[in-house]
Amino acid sequence: MTRLHGHRGEIQCRAENSLWEDADDPTWLFLRLDGLDVPFRVLDWRTKGTDELLFTLKGVDSEEKALRLVGAEAFMLLREANVPAEGDLMIWQDLAGWTVRSPYGEEAQIADVDTTTANCLARLHDGRLIPLHEDLIAQINPDDKILTYRLALTL
């Protein structure tokens, strides 16, 4: 987020507008605050020039609240971007539904991802939690939606 726009909490963000223009009614904007990706519901958005977007976010309705978000990195869900999933994944939440595999071939399904703490966790379908961190992942296979871990996990 680059700066405030007006006094009602609208904020300005430098971004690649074509991703938003091609998106299917984007509903979430994730802002990296204190190392965590925090979701904000997008109430309204519009372009400003070729590389700026203006956002109205739920719960951000004053200059004071918007000021706290200035300087935060902004992300959108890959599935809302309406582009092929190539390269790096945008956020951990995109891993919901993927398979996690240990180096020994054990597998489990990721039900959802918890990013509410500094330690991002994958919740497996049986309720167990495993840590998500780049250093723990040996391989990412986006075609088959499989994460292979470097370390043995009790899956």
Side-chain angles (χ1 to χ4, degrees):
M1 304 319 283
T2 55
R3 60 187 216 112
L4 297 181
H5 185 80
H7 299 285
R8 294 190 199 126
E10 191 173 48
I11 36 185
Q12 188 170 317
C13 179
R14 183 173 306 277
E16 188 175 330
N17 288 356
S18 63
L19 286 177
W20 284 89
E21 290 167 356
D22 294 339
D24 294 326
D25 296 322
T27 55
W28 296 101
L29 181 70
F30 289 80
L31 301 180
R32 185 157 291 153
L33 303 170
D34 298 324
L36 299 174
D37 296 332
V38 180
F40 289 86
R41 182 167 297 279
V42 176
L43 298 178
D44 191 31
W45 68 275
R46 58 192 165 95
T47 60
K48 180 183 177 190
T50 58
D51 64 349
E52 296 286 334
L53 298 166
L54 299 173
F55 289 98
T56 303
L57 304 174
K58 185 174 184 175
V60 182
D61 53 6
S62 70
E63 186 175 343
E64 180 183 320
K65 290 177 182 176
L67 271 173
R68 290 186 234 157
L69 306 178
V70 172
E73 286 183 87
F75 305 91
M76 70 185 298
L77 289 172
L78 187 58
R79 65 179 172 259
E80 289 185 351
N82 210 9
V83 294
E86 295 177 349
D88 293 339
L89 296 172
M90 295 181 74
I91 59 170
W92 289 113
Q93 285 89 340
D94 289 327
L95 297 176
W98 282 47
T99 298
V100 62
R101 181 181 289 160
S102 80
Y104 304 108
E106 302 161 313
E107 293 185 352
Q109 296 295 118
I110 298 174
D112 63 17
V113 177
D114 181 358
T115 59
T116 58
T117 65
N119 298 314
C120 188
L121 299 169
R123 184 178 324 278
L124 303 179
H125 279 289
D126 65 3
R128 290 178 294 157
L129 298 171
I130 60 170
L132 287 174
H133 192 279
E134 295 95 12
D135 294 344
L136 300 174
I137 298 170
Q139 183 179 12
I140 298 174
N141 182 338
D143 294 331
D144 296 326
K145 295 187 175 185
I146 297 174
L147 287 179
T148 302
Y149 265 63
R150 293 185 191 286
L151 306 171
L153 301 169
T154 36
L155 302 174

